[in-house]
Amino acid sequence: TGAASGMGRATALLFADEGAHVAVTDLDPVKVQAVVDEITDAGGSAVGHQLDVSKAEQRRAVVADMVARWGGVDILVNNAGLVFDTPLESPDFEAHWARTFDVLVTAQALLIRECLPHLQKSTAPRVVNIASTEGLGATKGISAYTAAKTGVIGLTRSLAVELGSRGITVNCICPGPILTGLTENIPEEARQEFARRRTVLRRYGDPEEVAQIT
């Protein structure tokens, strides 16, 4: 999911280079088709779907097409993302909170659930959830995003325990800031603040030491 640009596009291209059949899904059908064309023009196998991961009927349709087309599902990458700059007192806070959790947490769990019957038939089933270093730290003004990414880490841990005995690995990636369409509008001052904070965490490591200097 979220494969029309940024990390999602790079992931789709990498899987295609490794010989996988790739379902490219995202909200923008034009960008989806561009990635599909990029893969197929290079000799890879891909199909595109416009997908709002918060819509149950769309999730079902995409998974059903993958199974009908290729016989199953081996790997699910949950990469759909969004972020709202919404301070706690913002009039849009409740709506942005709900949308953020719908896309970043609930949809990940329900996509795994939708794929589960097929993953259980795979010889090498994998689930990769994309979280963020925001799930390990925090930035002011985006509490919904931070809470949701923390939730993705918890979801991954729980499902790794639940599904591991069935041979399904569930892992989580926590990228830092990467220049994509989702992050290009972050002000330079905020980028520098983030970079300094992460440097401190890497250098000192111990939470008590970090608390004393931040």
Side-chain angles (χ1 to χ4, degrees):
T1 64
S5 62
M7 291 185 296
R9 170 182 168 272
T11 302
L13 295 177
L14 178 60
F15 274 113
D17 286 345
E18 292 296 322
H21 299 295
V22 181
V24 179
T25 67
D26 212 308
L27 287 172
D28 189 327
V30 174
K31 291 182 178 179
V32 165
Q33 189 59 47
V35 177
V36 170
D37 291 344
E38 195 172 359
I39 291 172
T40 56
D41 287 349
S45 173
V47 65
H49 295 275
Q50 183 179 14
L51 173 63
D52 180 341
V53 294
S54 69
K55 305 295 185 183
E57 68 278 8
Q58 294 185 28
R59 295 192 302 266
R60 286 193 294 267
V62 168
V63 174
D65 181 78
M66 291 169 61
V67 173
R69 188 181 298 269
W70 294 317
V73 178
D74 296 308
I75 302 168
L76 169 64
V77 180
N78 274 316
N79 181 66
L82 54 74
V83 60
F84 297 107
D85 184 5
T86 312
L88 188 61
E89 67 273 17
S90 168
D92 296 324
F93 183 83
E94 289 190 37
H96 286 175
W97 179 278
R99 179 62 177 165
T100 298
F101 270 77
D102 281 349
V103 171
L104 298 187
V105 184
T106 303
Q108 287 203 10
L110 295 181
L111 269 166
I112 297 169
R113 179 180 165 86
E114 191 70 39
C115 291
L116 184 57
H118 312 291
L119 290 169
Q120 291 183 127
K121 297 176 184 177
S122 171
T123 58
R126 303 286 185 264
V127 175
V128 181
N129 297 326
I130 306 302
S132 168
T133 48
E134 281 300 314
L136 307 171
T139 298
K140 63 185 178 182
I142 57 170
S143 58
Y145 183 82
T146 301
K149 290 301 187 180
T150 303
V152 170
I153 295 171
L155 173 68
T156 302
R157 286 172 170 161
S158 181
L159 292 184
V161 174
E162 180 177 343
L163 302 180
S165 62
R166 308 184 211 178
I168 303 171
T169 65
V170 185
N171 290 288
C172 181
I173 298 174
C174 295
I178 297 174
L179 188 56
T180 67
L182 192 65
T183 63
E184 63 184 357
N185 293 324
I186 297 176
E188 182 61 28
E189 180 182 351
R191 296 184 194 203
Q192 292 300 322
E193 180 181 348
F194 187 97
R196 288 193 298 272
R197 185 183 73 198
R198 295 304 168 196
T199 299
V200 167
L201 288 172
R202 285 197 300 270
R203 177 181 173 188
Y204 291 92
D206 183 78
E208 291 185 2
E209 293 184 24
V210 171
Q212 292 173 7
I213 59 177
T214 56

